[in-house]
Each structure stands twice: as structure tokens, then as C-alpha cells.
Amino acid sequence: MTTSPLKLASRLDPIKPSITLAVTAKAAKLKAEGVDVVSFGAGEPDFDTPAHIKEAARAALAGGGTGKYTDVGGTLALRKAIAGELSAVHRTTIEPDQVLVSSGAKHSLYNTFMALIDPGDEVIIPAPYWVSYPDMVMLAGGRPVVLETREDDDFAVTAEQVAAAVSGRTRAIVLNNPSNPTGAVYTRAQIEALAKVVVEKDLLVISDDIYRQLVYGDAEYVSIAAVSPELARRTVLVDGVSKTYAMTGWRIGYTAGPLPLIKAMAKIQGQSTSNPSHLAQIATLAALTGPQDCVAQMRAAFDERRQAMVRLLRAIPGVTCREPKGAFYAFPNVSSFVGKRSPEGAILDDDVQLCDWLVDVGKVAVVPGSGFGAPGFVRLSYACSMANIEDGVGRMARALATLR
Ligand code: PMP
Ligand code: GLU
């Protein structure tokens, strides 16, 4: 049998396109066509990158030398800054050699799974999960083991659930704290209980901390790596500047972890992408070592928007919404609208159809919960202006009120 020269690799068969990026792209396309759409799709701060960070990049560019390759894993100056910051946050000692800088935290996660996972290895992923984890595990040949959590438990996975899910093939658990999409933040007691089971079951923790500086009210970020030296040895820290410093487009993320893993990831990076953009590394160094009041200012703005969005969502009959305590997403339950009929006569059979209808008819873009392993929910990013929040949630309320 002959195969077409264009036959695609079978490893792609189970892989879906990123729904967060798809919804964002659809809203952007409609806007470009002149359609007035409010988008809550992208998990991306609306703020511009702070001025002192842009200035550091501008000055470096003017000075010359920034158009060159750097060490595959990032400049020593940047890895030192990252090692210093993460050592302090996680109360452990991280050497610059234990840090790998990549082209976004997404790339860091991808390298991590590629370096760790053999065909058939299992990775525990609590749901609702960020869209890309299961697909990355599958691309690496592994099997995502998804654990459902309960809305009533604030979407926290329990130590008992993790213990029960461990098999002879389990390698790691992904912990995304604060969570995209739910905004849930694990309490100290929950982290300590999970830490215990991680040691008992001999697991690795892949701790995606990209939102750790975005927590609100009395919630606090608790590091699982800081629980004990044993946990520090078992934790792979994934972090970055995209969300904290409004630097999504600069594409810098980083991983800190056990040296053999970091070296393996550097080998992958050295044979695939080489170093992340030199100029973006310079900007990142300025972000990490410069004044931090920009972070507090953006956090305060997100907090205000969070409260407004939750209040407006809760006012919609048929919608319930738990309080998100971190990141910049609200994750309301809209299951009471699934199966209803639109004025145009369509039955909206699931949250994906509901979201398609909301953007086409209601002119408001939200991401279906199914993409996060949570059908019946939708995700709205509140990293946008207050005017957008009021206008967009208003559109959602008016559209939902027409469903029968
Ligand atoms: N992890 C989570 C939970 C995220 O929401 C994102 C969002 N982009 C990423 C990782 C990747 O971030 P980036 O590649 O922009 O650094
Ligand atoms: N992480 C963001 C989100 O969840 C950006 C899109 C993506 O990388 O998936 O919306």
C-alpha cells in the first residue's frame, strides 16, 4: 500500500487545536470584519508591557549585540535572576544551572513532558484543566489521567483522589495553582495533603505557577515545593512573565527543577528551537529585577474587574458563579441553558454550541468549559477593561434570556 507524501504523523490523531486560541482568533476575525464583538476569550492582560521593561529592550537594541544567539537555556544573567527569585519564593536553593528559559511557559511545559514521558506513562491532570496539558502529554506519547473535581469543593483535587488514581505507570501530577480556568487557589492544608500523597506514591509534581502573583482578597499562594526538601526535589517549577508583567507576546517562560531533567530539556531545546529571543530575555531580566509596583497596580485592577464580573454574572438568572480567588478568569456554571432552544430555532445541545451561538448572535465570545474538561461551564477572562466587562456580560445576560 502506498501512502500519500502528505500523510500526517499519527501522533497527531488525538490532538485538538487549542480552544482558547481558537475562540480568541474567531473573535479577532469578526472584529477585523467590522463586527462589534466583545471578547472574553484570551487569557491575556489588556495592559501594555510596563514602560521600564520596554525601555530596557529599546536601550539594549540601540546598544547592539542583541541580534545574536545566547546560551540555549538563556543568558546566565537571566538564569541567575530567575534562580534567585524562585529560590526565595519556594524556600529552597535553585542554582542557575537548574533553570531553563524557553519561548513561553507553554514551551517550558512541552519540553518538560517531552523529557519525562515514555509511551504509556501516565500523568494525573485535575479537571477543570488548562487546555494544553492533556494534548501535550499525548504528543509525548503519554496518557493523561483526568481527575474530576467538584464545584462545591472549589474545584480542588483531593489527596484521596490522587492516591486512588496512581498506577504502576504514573509519573507525575500537574498542579496549576492558581488555576486556569477556575481561578481556584489551593489552601495550605490542601497543598500539605497533596504533598504527602506525592511522597507516598513517589510522584513528580509539575507545578504550573504562571498565575502565582495574581491572587486576591485573603487567598494566598502556597508553594508545594516549599513544604519540605523532599517536595522541593520532586517539583518541577514552571513559571514565566506573560501574565504577571503583561508580556504574553514576548514569549518567555522558564522551568526550574532537578538538574538531570533540566539538562534533558536543554538537549531537546538545543535540537529544536535553540535559545528564546535574546531581546525578550533582556526585557524579562528588566521585569524580574526592576521595580515591582507595576505588578501590584495590575493586580489591583484585575481584582476590581474580578469583583464586577462575578457580581454581574451572579445577577443573570440561571447562572451560578463561584468566587475565583486567583488568575484572571471567571468560570460560571451555565448548565441550565444547555439543551434550550434559541429564537432562531436551534437546540443548543452543549456548551460548545452555546458558546458558538453566544458569539454569533449575542456578539460576546466566551470559551466553552468542555475545552477544559468541564462541560456545562464557560470561561470568561476579566483581563480586559471594565467597560468591556459591563458591555459583554450585559450582552450575555440579554442573549441567555431569549433561550427557551
Ligand atoms: N499555563 C497556564 C495555566 C496558562 O494559562 C498559560 C497561558 N498562556 C500558560 C501556561 C502559557 O503561558 P505562556 O506560554 O504565554 O508563557
Ligand atoms: N493561556 C491563555 C488562555 O488560556 C492564552 C491562550 C493559550 O495559550 O492557550 O487563554
Side-chain angles (χ1 to χ4, degrees):
M1 198 180 80
T2 53
T3 50
S4 154
L6 270 179
K7 182 194 162 301
L8 300 177
S10 52
R11 87 172 71 82
L12 279 166
D13 292 350
I15 308 301
K16 304 170 295 302
S18 162
I19 183 111
T20 44
L21 296 181
V23 170
T24 308
K26 179 166 179 180
K29 181 167 177 282
L30 286 170
K31 272 188 202 167
E33 288 165 4
V35 182
D36 165 33
V37 177
V38 174
S39 177
F40 295 126
E44 169 165 63
D46 60 330
F47 299 110
D48 199 10
T49 303
H52 70 278
I53 299 174
K54 291 196 294 186
E55 177 51 29
R58 197 198 59 76
L61 198 55
T66 54
K68 304 289 181 208
Y69 293 130
T70 70
D71 282 355
V72 165
T75 62
L76 182 59
L78 179 56
R79 285 184 290 117
K80 272 188 181 162
I82 294 167
E85 167 158 338
L86 295 187
S87 295
V89 169
H90 301 285
R91 276 175 271 131
T92 181
T93 307
I94 297 166
E95 302 294 342
D97 281 357
Q98 288 176 266
V99 173
L100 182 81
V101 186
S102 301
S103 302
K106 196 179 241 179
H107 187 205
S108 303
L109 285 158
Y110 181 78
N111 284 337
T112 303
F113 291 123
M114 290 307 278
L116 278 176
I117 302 302
D118 264 330
D121 281 352
E122 296 177 1
V123 177
I124 295 178
I125 302 176
Y129 48 72
W130 179 49
V131 282
S132 299
Y133 302 139
D135 293 78
M136 285 187 191
V137 169
M138 289 188 287
L139 267 175
R143 201 170 82 79
V145 176
V146 173
L147 298 186
E148 309 282 336
T149 62
R150 284 161 34 90
E151 192 182 7
D152 290 344
D153 296 338
D154 244 338
F155 302 107
V157 73
T158 65
E160 295 73 31
Q161 274 182 294
V162 176
V166 171
S167 78
R169 297 305 305 265
T170 313
R171 301 290 311 281
I173 174 169
V174 177
L175 195 65
N176 177 213
N177 181 33
S179 155
N180 174 5
T182 66
V185 179
Y186 279 85
T187 64
R188 183 169 299 280
Q190 287 167 335
I191 289 288
E192 284 171 358
L194 287 172
K196 203 158 160 265
V197 80
V198 162
V199 175
E200 275 166 20
K201 300 290 183 186
D202 197 18
L203 304 178
L204 204 62
V205 183
I206 298 169
S207 187
D208 182 346
D209 301 328
I210 192 102
Y211 297 102
R212 76 177 153 78
Q213 298 211 55
L214 297 176
V215 290
Y216 313 105
D218 55 11
E220 83 171 310
Y221 165 79
V222 179
S223 157
I224 194 161
V227 168
S228 69
E230 175 67 40
L231 262 297
R233 280 194 291 277
R234 291 175 175 276
T235 304
V236 183
L237 299 164
V238 177
D239 214 322
V241 286
S242 287
K243 316 292 173 168
T244 313
Y245 298 95
M247 289 179 69
T248 45
W250 295 83
R251 308 307 303 131
I252 295 288
Y254 26 90
T255 318
L259 193 56
L261 172 64
I262 296 298
K263 279 189 171 165
M265 292 168 63
K267 188 159 72 174
I268 296 170
Q269 189 157 299
Q271 293 287 31
S272 52
T273 59
S274 296
N275 63 276
S277 153
H278 189 178
L279 192 61
Q281 291 187 57
I282 290 167
T284 300
L285 184 61
L288 297 181
T289 56
Q292 298 297 302
D293 35 328
C294 55
V295 177
Q297 279 161 15
M298 289 189 274
R299 187 194 303 117
F302 290 144
D303 191 9
E304 240 181 88
R305 298 162 179 193
R306 170 183 77 108
Q307 296 180 40
M309 182 174 264
V310 170
R311 182 169 40 74
L312 292 167
L313 285 170
R314 285 179 176 167
I316 304 177
V319 172
T320 59
C321 185
R322 297 195 74 78
E323 186 193 4
K325 300 193 171 106
F328 37 54
Y329 307 101
F331 201 59
N333 185 330
V334 294
S335 54
S336 69
F337 298 98
V338 171
K340 289 204 169 174
R341 181 187 295 273
S342 73
E344 303 78 32
I347 304 287
L348 306 174
D349 273 331
D350 55 28
D351 54 311
V352 176
Q353 292 184 14
L354 181 67
C355 289
D356 276 340
W357 177 80
L358 276 173
V359 71
D360 290 337
V361 176
K363 303 286 182 270
V364 54
V366 303
V367 189
S370 297
F372 308 97
F377 290 81
V378 292
R379 189 194 80 174
L380 292 82
S381 163
Y382 53 81
C384 58
S385 72
M386 200 64 105
N388 245 40
I389 292 172
E390 284 165 6
D391 182 4
V393 182
R395 291 177 188 212
M396 196 169 142
R398 285 191 297 279
L400 292 175
T402 67
L403 296 178
R404 291 289 171 264

